Every structure is written in structure tokens, then in C-alpha cells.
Amino acid sequence: MTTQAQAAPAAQDSPERVLGMVQAINDALDVAMSMDDTVFELGEDIQDPAGGGFKVHKGLSTKFGLDRVRPTPISEQAIMGAAVGAAIAGMRPVAEIMLMNFISVAADQLINHAAKIRYMSGGQTKVPLVVRTTTGAGGGFGAQHSDMLEAPLTHTAGLKVVVPSTAADAKGLLLSSIFDDDPVVFVEMFMLYYSQKGHVPPGDYRVPLGKLRTAREGSDVSLISWGRQVHECVAVADKLSADGIDAEVIDLRSLVPLDREGLLNAVGRTKRAVVVHEAVRRSGYGAELAATIHEELFGELAGPVRRVGGADTPVPYARNLEAEFLPHAGRIEQAVRSLF
Amino acid sequence: MTTQAQAAPAAQDSPERVLGMVQAINDALDVAMSMDDTVFELGEDIQDPAGGGFKVHKGLSTKFGLDRVRPTPISEQAIMGAAVGAAIAGMRPVAEIMLMNFISVAADQLINHAAKIRYMSGGQTKVPLVVRTTTGAGGGFGAQHSDMLEAPLTHTAGLKVVVPSTAADAKGLLLSSIFDDDPVVFVEMFMLYYSQKGHVPPGDYRVPLGKLRTAREGSDVSLISWGRQVHECVAVADKLSADGIDAEVIDLRSLVPLDREGLLNAVGRTKRAVVVHEAVRRSGYGAELAATIHEELFGELAGPVRRVGGADTPVPYARNLEAEFLPHAGRIEQAVRSLF
Amino acid sequence: MTTSLDTETRIEVSPQILLGIYTTAIKIKIYDDTYVSALKTGKAAGMYYSPRGQEIIPSAFAQVLRTDDYVLTIYRGIHDQIAKGVPLRELTAEFLGRATGTCKGKGGPMHITHPDSGLMVTTGVVGSGLPIGVGIALAAQMRGTDQVTVVNFGDGASNIGAFHEALNLASVWNLPVIFVCQNNQYAEYTAYAVGTSAKHIADRAAGYSMRSFRVNGNDPAQMYHAALASVEAARAGNGPTLIEAETYRFRGHTPADPMQYMPKEELQQAIAADPVPALRQRLIDESIATEDELGALEASLKQEIDEAFEFALASPQPDPSELYTDL
Amino acid sequence: MTTSLDTETRIEVSPQILLGIYTTAIKIKIYDDTYVSALKTGKAAGMYYSPRGQEIIPSAFAQVLRTDDYVLTIYRGIHDQIAKGVPLRELTAEFLGRATGTCKGKGGPMHITHPDSGLMVTTGVVGSGLPIGVGIALAAQMRGTDQVTVVNFGDGASNIGAFHEALNLASVWNLPVIFVCQNNQYAEYTAYAVGTSAKHIADRAAGYSMRSFRVNGNDPAQMYHAALASVEAARAGNGPTLIEAETYRFRGHTPADPMQYMPKEELQQAIAADPVPALRQRLIDESIATEDELGALEASLKQEIDEAFEFALASPQPDPSELYTDL
Ligand SMILES: Cc1ncc(C[n+]2csc(CCOP(=O)(O)OP(=O)(O)O)c2C)c(N)n1
Ligand SMILES: Cc1ncc(C[n+]2csc(CCOP(=O)(O)OP(=O)(O)O)c2C)c(N)n1
Ligand SMILES: [Mg+2]
Ligand SMILES: [Mg+2]
């Protein structure tokens, strides 16, 4: 087995190809495993013919074998722990936790070990691990299958946290995460799996961690978001432009590392900010962003940083309640208008 | 077995008695179990003669029997899960998770079940559970035994989160938590176990959840904190008064429910706020408080809300590094002075 | 303390019990058929995990449990819920997220709760019900009641940490709890042996010094015997039991599942041995009931189920204010 | 596949191996004695979990393992660390939080890591090392090396979920990993049977179709045999082993522990059977070494250890900037 990185396989795809987010992630996994023999996957039900609950791994176990695309028992602690161990011993595991709520089953391995081992060992060992997971409200999956739990992860020193919003970013950020030497939690939102389609560059395409993307230019207010809500923000911004409010939409892409400079530059220009995220509002990552913006731009803002989040409740099942739980366009628009 | 609350036992203690925090907690457990047969404890090593790693339970298994003060295997998921189940079935369990980092082992039961069951059942079942735990840096216990993890708990809808700073509060808040019908995580800081001593009222003494305590009056700036750092803040405030800065110190006592009104009134008066907590600064509860204060008091503040937290690192072992990790007096003072 | 019921054992069961088991099992089957066609026609939408093939297990327990006994189950739990007596109207309304549901529509299919029927918890996190069941059994033991707790879960769940901790704790505390592993041979798209190192899940009981039975869960008599023996033991204060009930899942993990991972013949064989019609035939063969009687029973059940769907479909969504209540 | 080594079996071991085991064991014992007195005199401060009584277990493994084999241990791990060859100066410096420590003083006693010696992880969270060890073994298997991974843990740890998941996964993947349960009869202040439902922890191996040995961990020959057989199996691709090594903890869980929960006679009996002096006597009795030779060995070890302490005590604390590095 070779552990050296090899050249990426020649891109066989048309440069103009359009992929959904599921295919983009599949492509990133394919490219990473082709490039580097130390990259492998482990998780529940990821083997063919199913290729995972959302078909993310379709074809990969057939191509790379069950040694590299390893179906596991339902044992999140063992999945996470085995990934940590393999990472310490020189591999680049990509572990799948089927749904983000199940990270709570494996939280010890993630918080006490993956995040801390490099620090505790004084840099002797490192944990080049990616934990991929998916989640989100809106699918009618109820309180135990829908939570966005990125905020607690950003509070865990030693973890990187990435949430892609487009197909191309999903690929480019995942490849960067896999070849990063620190543990990255890569949060996919399944409501984007099929709704997001776009041009995805072939081959070893990378999007660096810690660089925000301006999803929409604008000068009057900055809407700051990640994942699914970026698209909600763009829709609201488009609507508001009819009323003469020119809103910028910022897609953070990675929450840790945070593109602090890019963020503060943007809000420094627009003087108004609304942070939008799906997670429960209280103690969400929006709080960290709002606190930071106020600290750095005190006296320069035209109004307080508004936070639009999920309701401070579990995710309810009934369709109407779930829709109201979400930080929907109505609430985003209201928050923006309150600043003018 | 009677499940009705009975009259509290006649207080045998002198009304002037002075107890340490460990004794105050022991007293609260004793009173609760005497009053109500449905109250019981479970946790590792809590039985006599040891009575727990910090002797919190000393004498209780002898007095109430091993049926009510139940030593468990090292099985945090089972401890937490059994407590959830017993609570649903009409008991008032008080579970001990020996150190707060180990809550990560049982996070599924806490986050996905304890917090959500009342909501998911549409109010048919409730979870009157207290999870007691202890933690804190400064004891030289290293990265896996020192974390303050209250912020993620405040992000979990359905949980209450309490952090006492004095012996009397520890008793009064614990009794309120035990007789609350919702799950409460009760975070003790072991650095206070022996350092905090004070008058502790006998009998069924309760301090309501959601009411802050003004630990020190002051008019120029509000230092907002909880647990051990309240005492750091008072010390800094005392020192600053020599320089003519009259600092108020607010002890939140319970983070959820938050005494929002009391907090905003205080900062509305002083116009300056510094939030101080031991947990890692990034995405700590200080962010939520800062964001809230700015939202509500925009334009009224003399400066941004400053946040002083633990370093954005794991807790290091070496004494000098651990001391620097902590939000020590030097850093608090600097933050306060930056507002003048 | 570990004993094991040989799968070959032939056990006698009274005609009345057999008829009782059938009555519950056919109710579950008709309910499932109705739900699946409602999904196809678009009358119902959302998550559904069919229990087809596994009906006998809770139906046998229903002959032994009291209303005040406790049951916990999982997302794939409609058979357990029906068998425990959760009323069909409120149950269906909850599945469809309506205000009239058991949980006011806030829990949904994966979180059915109905304490009045003893159905305490339905969980969507694999294995998480086991420690909670231990706690419910502990409450019964501490109160000195003789209530029994039954925790249902799948074969895949036997590989998660919570299983281990729960069985160990139940054993050291000698709790009145019965762990029922409904071994349908698959965890989602993964076959038993890919994830499970034990030849049989019941083999794990020895590591907890726990009584265990391994039975053909589709055989009414064997299943009844295991249920009866374990419930009697629990009620008498003789502690927990692990039952491995071997069965098979006739439908996909979810309705969208094309079931490509199952060998065709294996599935066909299992369906050919469908325990519900087999039991029906036995009732007729042994003159326990006539074709007419069973036909009338089935028709009345179908009517009750259809009415439950109508009730649910006619019910409103919860009031928007419910988003913020029960917290 | 499950086999068990009877504790009565008498096994032959070469003089050289016995001497090797003693050399490691006495080094551990002297180190422990030195540390405990440093704590008493205030030269050392902080957490310390004495392994006194458990020295034979890693000392036997040391005769079998290679430097490039992997070991994981727990807070009570100084015996495992010394046996694996972690250099005493850096080890001691890490215990005392100095810049010259294995981890620059940032990990501390509960988190000793020294990959150059194959000591990969020391964990403070009970049971958490087992899944990590599985992953390290997996890496070796995937790379096609013949490195073996040994994961040490206590009896109490066998009741936590991670144990279950790790053993199951190691078995289904047939990994080169050895789970060594150092059963010292107590988990903190709680006796074995209060928390553990299995008569013997080795009984749990059957639930994972795993090879297992239950041995007297204080008997050098038994322990050596179990280590050798399990390492040879792992190296040959024949999968994991669970070893239950029965032993006893001679000192408190921590130095502050008054040990009131231990029956006095039980402790006295265990100390009377102290395996380290017993092995020493055997070496003399069987003319494997002379009193003089052993005395010289011990004196030189004592000197090495004292020098390690001096080195550590003379070392500076880490530079304050280290707070923010290695992240
Ligand atoms: C902790 C956890 N991990 C993963 C899942 C996703 N998941 C849902 S059902 C299932 C398979 C469960 O199989 P089994 O226990 O055999 O029950 P069955 O569905 O066959 O009845 C999985 C992996 C989950 N719900 N919870
Ligand atoms: C998950 C977890 N729970 C609790 C503790 C606290 N704790 C530290 S050591 C210990 C006892 C462990 O006993 P055992 O596994 O037998 O190992 P020993 O200390 O006897 O070597 C406990 C409960 C912990 N460190 N981790
Ligand atoms: Mg199954
Ligand atoms: Mg032990």
C-alpha cells in the first residue's frame, strides 16, 4: 500500500458538467481515494448497492473495495474512535455519522479525543480526520433527526467546522478537509442534496477553509449565513432589492476557521448585519458572530446585529410547526427591515 | 412507598451554621430525600464509606440506604438513560456524572431524550431530572477533566442550566432544581467545593431558578459571571474601586432560565458590561449574553460588551499554562479598563 | 442463570391465546397494508417503517402484558404500539402530524408516546431506548409495584454501547425488564453478519449473567412461551431477560428502499412463510375459528382502521402556538 | 473460537524471559515507590494513579512486543508506559508538567504519548482507548504491516459502551488488537461485583466470538503465555484477543484515598503475595540470578530513576506561548 499522495486522476468529465450536491460529494471522495491510498471511508450502510442512506457513496465500494469503503455496525463510538485511531496511525479516515444528532452518541471521541489529541501530545500525533454528517429540519424527520449542532462544535477548541451551501463548494471544501491535518466536522444539509445543482470542476478541486464566499453583492446590509440558509438569504435579498434595499449575502463556508477579516470588512462597509442560521437561536453560532462584530465595529454600526435562528425549541414534527421553527424568509425579511 | 411530598424535617442545625459548598450540597440532597420518597441518587462511587469522589454524598447511603443512593457501574449512558426513564415513570432522580467531560459520553440521552421528551410527547410525559456534575480548570487535571461545557447545554432547548457560586446558593438552587419538573444540569465547580464557605439556611431552603444575584453593587460597569469567576470579578471590582471605577458584579446563577430583565436593567444602568466565564471564549455563553445586550441596548452603551473567557484551546496541564488559560484577574481588569 | 429455549421445541398454547395473538397480528397487518397504500396514493406522506413480518412478536406479548406494564419501541414500532393498545385514531393522527395525535402532532411517527396505554417511549436513536427502559423498570422496582417493562429493538441495535450498559445495569440491579431483540436479519441495508460478531444475539446474555431465550419470533407458541416466562420472572422479582426473536422484514427499511441488498430467494422464502396467514390457517385447521368468523373479524378491523385514517385526515394541524408549548 | 486459559495451568517460561520480566517489573516498582515518596515530600505534586501490584502484566508483554507495536493505556498507566520503553526523563518531566516532557508538559500524567516508543494514547476517559486502539490496529491491517496493538484498561471499564462497540468491531474486522483488562477488583471505591454482572470479564468474549484468556496477571508464566499467544495470533492475521488479567491494586485509587472500602485482610493477603518480590525470590531460588546481580540491577535502576526525577525537576515550565501552539 502506498501512502504517498499520487497525481489526481485525469479528469474524464466535461469541464461544463453540472452535478447535484450528492454527486459532488461522491466525486470528492472518489478523487481523494484515487489520489491517496491512506484515505478511506467508514460508516453505516455506505456499501453498494445502496451506497449510503442518501446514495453519497454510490459506486465507491465497488470501485475501491470494502477495505476502503467500510460498512460498520451501528456503533458511533467505535466509528469515531476507530477513525481517531487510524488517523493517529497515519491514515486519513473519512467517517460518516449518518445523521448529526448521532454525533451526540460519539461526542466523547470527538470532543475529548479528536479535538485534543494533537494539543495534549504536544504535537507528536495529529488527527487528520473528517467526520461527514448530514442533518436539517424541513424533511419531516422529527426532533431526533433534524438538529443543526454546529455551534457546540465551534466551542470545541481543536475542531474545524465546515458547512457547504453549493455543490461545487461541497466538493472543494471536502477535498480541503480531507487533506487538512486536523479534524474537520463536515456538515451537509440534506435539503440541499438534490436542490443544489451546479457546475462542479473535475479533478482535485479545492476550496480553502477559512475563506468566505460573497453569494450576492450588496451595499446596504450584510446577510451572513451558511448552508441551506444562504439560499434563503439570497431569495430575501432579491425580494428586498425591489424595495431599494441592496443586501449582500455572505456564505461563511467554514465557521472554524472563520474568515474574520472578510466578515468584518463586509460589515464595516454595509454597517448593518443580520446573521441567519437554522440551529436554535439561543447560543447559536450567530451569537458568536454578533458579539464579535459588535466588539470590532462598535460605534460604526447603523443598528444592532440581528440574529434569525431556529426557534428555541426541539424540531416539531407537524409540517406547519416545522415550517415555523425554521428561520424562514418572512422572519429574515422582518429582521432586515428592522434595521432601516 | 409514599410519593407525596412530606414536610421538610425539622431543622436541627443552628440558624447561624457555616457550611462549605460540599456540605451545602450534601444538605440539599439530604433534605430532598427526606421530604420526598421519589427523590433518589445514582452515580459512580457515591456510596459510603467514600461518599463520592468529593465526599458530596457522605453519610447519605448510610442514612437512606443503597436503594436511594445507588452506586452504578461506569456506564454514563445507562446512568443518564436510567435517570430519564425513572423520571418519566414518576421519580425525581438526581444523577451524578462524576466530571463534566463525561457528559459527552452520555450526550445522546441528555440532548436527544431528557431535553426533548416532554416536547415530543406533547406534554404527556415529563422529565424531572437533575444531572449534577463538577468540573473546572485550575486543579491540574488536564484536558479531559476540566472543561466547562455549559454553553452547548444552553443551546439545547428543553434543558435548564444552573451554576452556583456560593454554598447557600448551591443548596437553594439544588433544591429548586430537584423539585423542578424539567431536566436541570447542575454544574458545580470543584475549585469552589472547599474555598466557598458561608451561612447556609437549614431545611427546605430554595433559591428560585432564573433570578440573578447582585454579588456586588456598583454603578460604572457590570461584570457578569457565574460560578467560580464571580469571585474573581468581585476581587477585580474591589481592586478597581481604588481607581475610582465602581463595578457591579452580577452572578447569573442560572443560565437557562436567564434573568433577562434583571440583566438588561443592570447594564441599562451602568452602560458598560464585561462577561466573564471560564469556558472557552469562542461560542461560549458570553457570546449569547453579549449579542442579547447589544440587541436590546443598542445605542445606549458606552462601549462594546467585552468577553473574557478561557483561551480558545484545550486545558493544558502545566501549571503556568493552565493559569494562563483561565480568565484571570489580569485579563478581567484589562477588559474593564478598556471600557473607560 | 442463562437458559435458552431451543428453536425446535414444540410448545402447547391454548386456542384462546392463539386467537388472541392472531387478532392483534392481523390488526397490525391490515394497518400496515392500509398505511402503505395511503403512502402510495398520497393520502399519507412522510416517514414510515413497516413492521410487516414481525407482527407475531408484540402480539404474543399482548397476551401476557397488562395495560399498566410499560413498553418502549423504536421508529419501526407501529406493531408494538398497536399491540400495546395505543388507540388507532390518535396514533394515526400523530403519524400524520395532527393536533388530535397522541402527542398533538409534535412528536410524529418516531416518537409515539401514550402513557395511558403504557407505551412510554418511541425513539429514533438506535439503542437509546434500552437505558431508558432500565430506568422505567427501576421506578417500578423502587415503588414496589409488579409492573414489567418491555424494551423492543433491532438486531443492529445490539452492537451499540447503550445495549451493553443497559443489560449490565439491569442485571446488577435485578430489574423487571425484558429486552426484546427483534432480529429481522438486517439493519437498514446491512446484513446481520457484516456488523454483528455474535453468532446469535442471545449469546451475549451470558456476559451479563442474564436469562435469555432465542426463539423463532414468527412462531406464536414459541414467542408466547418466551414472553410468558420472561414476564412471570420479572413480575416475581426474578430479574431481567434477553429475548432474541428471529424474524424477517418483508418490506424495505423505508418505502423508498429497493431492497437490492436482500437475496431474492431469501426474501421470497420468508414471505412464503408469512406468519400471519399461517396462523390464520392454523386457527381454521384446528377449528379454533371459522373462515366466516375470521372474515368478520378482519372486516371489522379494517373498518376501525379506515375510520382511524379518516379521523386523522380530517383533523387539523396543531395550532401554531404549539411550537412554544411543552417546554 | 473462544478458548480460555485455566488459571491452574502451570506453564514453563525460560529463565531469560523471567529475568526480563523481573527487570521491567522492578523498574516499575522502584519508579512507583520513588514517585509516591516524591509526592509525600512535596517534590512532586498533582495527579498520580499508582500501578503497584499490577507490574507483571505489562512486563510480560514487554517480552513479546516490538518497539513498533502500539500500546494504549489509561491514567493508571505508568507501568504500561515504562514497560513500553517511554524514556524515563521525558516521562517524568511530563508528569511534572515541564517543557522537556514527552508532550512539552501540555498533556500531563493522564495523557502520556510517545509514538517513538509505540505509546500512542493515554486516556483519562474510562473505556475510550478501546475504540481508538481498534482504529490503530485497523491502520496497521490496511497498511499490511504486522504491527500489533495492545489496549489496556480496567475492570470497571468493561461496563462502558465503548468496550462493547470496540470488541464487536475488532471481531467483525478481524483486527490485530489485544484488549487487556487489568482486573484489579476495584473501580475507584466500588468493588467488582457491585458494577459488573459477568462472573468474569473474559466471559464477555463469547458475545463477540473472540479468543480470550483469563489468567492470573500476577503470575509471570501465565501472563507471558497469554501475551505471547495473543500477539502471535494478531501478528499472523488471526484477529483480536481479550485477556482478563486478574490482579490487585495495592495503593489507593489516588494518593488521597483512605481505602476504607477494601476489606483489610483482602488487601493484606494481596500484598503478602506481592508478585515482584515473589519473582525475585524465584529468580534466586532457580539460580537464574544471584542476590548480588539483582541488587546491582536494582541499584542501577534506582539511579536511573533518580536521575530522571532530577532532570525533570530541573526542567523549566513550558514557554507561555505554548498555550496556543499544536492547534
Ligand atoms: C445511533 C443511531 N445510528 C444510526 C441510526 C440510523 N438508523 C436508523 S434505523 C437503522 C438500522 C437499525 O437496524 P436494527 O436495529 O436491526 O432495527 P430494524 O430497523 O431492522 O428494525 C439505522 C442504522 C440511528 N437511528 N441511530
Ligand atoms: C467515562 C468516565 N467515567 C468516570 C470516570 C472517573 N473514573 C476515573 S477512574 C475510574 C475507575 C476506573 O476503574 P477501572 O476501569 O477498574 O480501572 P482502575 O482505576 O481500577 O485501574 C472512574 C470511575 C472516568 N474517568 N471516565
Ligand atoms: Mg434489523
Ligand atoms: Mg479496576
Side-chain angles (χ1 to χ4, degrees), chain B residues 7 40 59 72-73 75 134 156 170 195 264 274 285 288 296 320 322 332:
Chain B
F40 73 99
T72 65
S75 305
T134 190
T156 306
S195 69
L264 294 173
V274 179
Y285 194 57
E288 174 62 31
E296 298 298 326
N320 64 328
E322 189 183 25
I332 300 170

Side-chain angles (χ1 to χ4, degrees), chain B residues 216-230:
Chain B
R216 185 184 191 283
E217 310 264 348
S219 55
D220 296 339
V221 54
S222 301
L223 305 190
I224 302 156
S225 195
W226 49 94
R228 179 180 173 200
Q229 278 65 42
V230 169

Side-chain angles (χ1 to χ4, degrees), chain B residues 119-158:
Chain B
Y119 192 84
M120 294 192 303
S121 76
Q124 293 175 99
T125 46
K126 58 181 187 180
V127 187
L129 158 66
V130 175
V131 179
R132 286 184 45 260
T133 192
T134 190
T135 191
F141 289 170
Q144 291 182 339
H145 283 60
S146 306
D147 283 335
M148 289 291 295
L149 299 170
E150 72 277 21
L153 301 175
T154 66
H155 187 54
T156 306

